[in-house]
Amino acid sequence: MTAKPRIALVIGSIRPTRFADKPAQWMLKQARARDDMEVELVDLRDHPLPFFAEVASNLHAPSKDPEAVRWQERIAGFDGFIFVVAEYNHSITGALKNALDQAYKEWNRKPFTAIAYGGAGGARALEHLRGIAVELQMVSTRSAVHIGGSDFMKVFPMGGNQPIEEIEQALLPAATNALEELSWWARATMVARTPTTSAAQPSASATH
């Protein structure tokens, strides 16, 4: 029987005043309540990555920066990802984009879902993330958790700053669906990535 997928919950904001910890801890609780995955918190604050400046992605040339290598080693062992997505100016944070750029092989053929937040529920940022992830040969779940509108203002520090449990009932259906899909895809891609079943590695675009 296939081992439980190892899932990383990646906090994609590094601002000192970030809101990300509240949704991250809530989503971590939902994921750890399941018996079909093992989940670890991965905080970009713990990985002071420089801006990407390698000669190419690590698909074509080993990265030279030690922090980039440490980051690649950190995420390589995971079978899927949950991204905590803050929306900055209709897109993802620069820190998350840089973290995605600093690896390539480690993302390939692995699924992800997200918990996103912002005035529009982080929907625009998540769509940008999905576009980036396609180029990294990842698989996006259809479902994701969106915290937006009046619910967002209830729990946001500059709004009501209430515990996220105050809006939990609105989030739970999406979280359940997202985690179900993530579990399914993680198990499917784990099998597909085994040496006996995986096909030849697709070629990456010339931009990598």
Side-chain angles (χ1 to χ4, degrees), residues 48-190:
L49 291 163
F51 284 123
F52 181 76
E54 304 290 339
V55 296
S57 84
N58 68 341
L59 177 66
H60 298 299
S63 298
K64 294 183 178 180
D65 189 277
E67 284 298 334
V69 173
R70 188 170 76 91
W71 171 242
Q72 293 159 10
E73 292 172 347
R74 179 73 174 104
I75 63 172
F78 291 107
D79 303 300
F81 302 90
I82 304 167
F83 292 106
V84 181
V85 179
E87 182 166 311
Y88 289 4
N89 298 319
H90 291 204
S91 190
I92 62 174
T93 66
L96 179 55
K97 178 60 167 67
N98 189 52
L100 292 164
D101 291 342
Q102 291 283 8
Y104 187 84
K105 296 182 295 182
E106 295 76 14
W107 304 118
N108 286 183
R109 298 177 174 185
K110 296 177 183 179
F112 74 95
T113 193
I115 180 166
Y117 59 87
R124 297 162 296 200
L126 180 52
E127 284 307 300
H128 279 195
L129 175 59
R130 284 173 169 147
I132 296 163
V134 167
E135 182 60 24
L136 296 173
Q137 301 184 44
M138 300 182 78
V139 180
S140 173
T141 62
R142 176 185 181 276
S143 300
V145 182
H146 295 274
I147 307 175
S150 60
D151 282 344
F152 177 59
M153 292 311 299
K154 283 180 184 177
V155 297
F156 190 57
M158 296 179 69
N161 200 27
Q162 298 180 42
I164 200 166
E165 285 73 19
E166 292 295 317
I167 61 169
E168 185 172 71
Q169 292 307 308
L171 306 180
L172 280 172
T176 299
N177 290 340
L179 293 171
E180 287 285 348
E181 293 172 24
L182 181 66
S183 175
W184 192 93
W185 279 109
R187 290 176 181 275
T189 53
M190 285 169 69

